[in-house]
Amino acid sequence: MANATRSIPDILRRGGVGIVLAVSLVGCGGNDASDRLLRDYQRALAERLELAPPKHAKPRNIGAFPELRERRVSIPETREGMLDIHALRECHITTLVAERNSTLGRVAPASQRWQYELELWRRLESCLSGKVAERLAANDLARLERLTVTKREQLPRAIWNGLFGSEEWAQSFSRVSSALAPEALAPPGEQLAALDYLHELSRAPFEADRPLPSPDRLEDHLQALNDRPYTAELLRTLLLAEQRLTEANALLDRALSTPGHCPTGDFTADLQQTPEARRLAAWLEALDDAAAAWLTGLEPLFASLKAPPDDVEAYRQAWLSRQRNAAPLPRFRQAMQGHLERRHRLASRC
C-alpha cells in the first residue's frame, strides 16, 4: 500500500496544496465536518466575488453493492465416495471432508469455507509430493492426482467466493455510511492491515516462493472491514467533494460570464490566498492521496478472476475505477481541476 501509485493532477500541485492537513483542520470533528469545510470555502469565495453563496444540493448516494447471489461464482461439486476418501486417510483429509459435508459445514460462513478449501488444497499438495503417494495403489494415486488437480483449478473461484461471499466484505461497501471527517481521510491502520492480509492470502497459493499467511486470522481481518465501512465512507466523501466543487465552479462561471467582473482585493489563481482556501487545498490533497491509495489496493482483489460476475465488474467500473470518467475519483479530479482552471482564468482577467 505504501507504494501505491499517486495520480494527482499537475495543476493541483501548481496550486500549492502541499500543506500538513492535521494542523490546519483542528476543531473539525464529526461526520459533517468535511462538508462544513467545503461550505466555508464556498462562502468565502462568494464574498470575494460579491455574489450570493450557492445553494447546497445533497450529494448523490453511492451505488448498492451486488447481492450475494450476484457476487458468487459457481464451482462444480467434487464427488468422491467415502471409501475412496478413506483410502487416502494418510493424507489427513478424511476428517476435514467429513466436517465440510456435515450439517454445520454446509452452512458455514464464507470465510470458513475459504479456510477449508485452502487447507484441503494444502494437504492434497503435500500428500502428492510426499512419501504417502509412493505407498498408494495405482487407482488411489490416480484419485489423489485427480483431486489435487481439480482443487488447484478450482482454488481461484473458491478464494473469490470466500471473499465476495463474505457479508463482512460486503458491509465495507455499505450505503449506510457517511462522509469522512477531515482528520480521518487516510485509511485506518486496521483497514490497511486487513487489505494487505487479503492480498497475501489470495496470491500465496499461486506463487511458490510466497509463504501462506495463517488462515486463522481471516475472520478477524474481515471483521475489521465490517466494523468500519471505510470504502463506502471514502466514496461518499468523493461525491461530497465533487458536489461542492461543482457548486463553487458555478459561482466562478457566474463571475466569468459577467464582463469586467473582478473579485475584491488581489485574487490569485492558487489556493493559498485565504485561510479557507488553504484548508481546502490541504483537504483536497489528503482526499486524493487516500482515494488513490485505497482504490489501488482494492483493484487486485476485484481483478483476481479473469471473468468476475457481471454485477461485480459493473460495480467496480462504476464506483472503484481510477480511470473511467464517470467513477467518483475521476469525477472529483475533474471538478477539482476545473475549479483551479476557473480561478486561473478569473485571476488572469483581473
Side-chain angles (χ1 to χ4, degrees), residues 96 110-120 197 201 214-219:
L96 192 65
S111 59
Q112 290 183 17
R113 292 197 293 272
W114 185 357
Q115 291 171 306
Y116 163 81
E117 292 292 342
L118 283 173
E119 185 60 25
L120 179 59
Y197 173 85
L201 194 63
S214 171
D216 295 340
R217 299 165 55 205
L218 174 59
E219 291 185 18

Side-chain angles (χ1 to χ4, degrees), residues 17 41 53 70-71 76 94-95 131 134 155 189 257 283 288 324:
V17 296
Y41 170 73
E70 299 165 340
R71 302 194 305 265
T94 51
T95 302
K131 293 183 179 181
E134 299 174 3
L155 199 54
S257 65
W283 188 88
D288 194 287
R324 291 179 64 91

Side-chain angles (χ1 to χ4, degrees), residues 2 6 46 107 124 174 195 234 236 238 288 332 340:
R6 295 173 65 185
V107 297
L124 288 170
S174 173
L195 211 58
L234 179 66
R236 281 192 175 279
L238 289 170
D288 194 287
F332 158 69
L340 296 171

